[in-house]
Amino acid sequence: YMAKQIKKNSQKKVKKKVPKGIVHIQASFNNTIVTITNLQGEVIAWSSAGGCGFKGARKGTPFAAKTAAEVAAKQSIDQGMKEIKVLVKGPGGGRETAIRGLKESGLLIKLIRD
């Protein structure tokens, strides 16, 4: 009966080619969340410092933010992302470094809005 439960949700996600998108960086003192959407606001990829294996006080560090940004960027590049606009929110330490991580991943940054 376990086999029936596992088989229930087996439809594969359809990946669309998305050349342009918006990166939302939510940088709080405790964590940094990076969400990448298409221009309509539908989420394509996301990552957070906590999701990258950082725990406790380390989640709020700039390095954790950069790692989260790189992970999300990699996921979106796999779906054809090239150009991004960046919207930054919050007072956290990972604001600039998250943007730097996106740039180093090979995404072309068209706009940074605070």
Side-chain angles (χ1 to χ4, degrees):
Y1 118 175
M2 281 299 284
K4 273 184 187 165
Q5 279 185 321
I6 294 166
K7 191 116 172 65
K8 196 167 60 181
N9 196 357
S10 62
Q11 286 127 332
K12 195 167 180 284
K13 243 181 173 174
V14 182
K15 281 189 177 175
K16 298 190 207 85
K17 283 278 172 215
V18 199
K20 294 180 180 180
I22 302 168
V23 180
H24 303 266
I25 298 169
Q26 166 65 58
S28 72
F29 291 123
N30 297 318
N31 203 350
T32 303
I33 302 168
V34 180
T35 310
I36 302 180
T37 68
N38 62 13
L39 298 175
Q40 285 72 46
E42 298 169 331
V43 175
I44 287 153
W46 68 271
S47 178
S48 68
C52 292
F54 293 93
K55 277 199 176 102
R58 290 208 310 277
K59 283 195 306 189
T61 63
F63 178 72
K66 183 173 178 239
T67 309
E70 284 167 353
V71 169
K74 202 155 280 155
Q75 289 173 4
S76 68
I77 289 167
D78 290 345
Q79 297 184 41
M81 185 76 73
K82 300 247 186 316
E83 273 182 23
I84 55 168
K85 293 176 178 177
V86 183
L87 309 181
V88 190
K89 234 188 209 174
R95 295 164 59 101
E96 282 86 32
T97 37
I99 297 169
R100 209 164 289 144
L102 294 168
K103 184 114 181 78
E104 282 170 23
S105 302
L107 289 167
L108 184 69
I109 298 172
K110 282 285 180 197
L111 171 112
I112 297 171
R113 201 187 84 192
D114 207 324

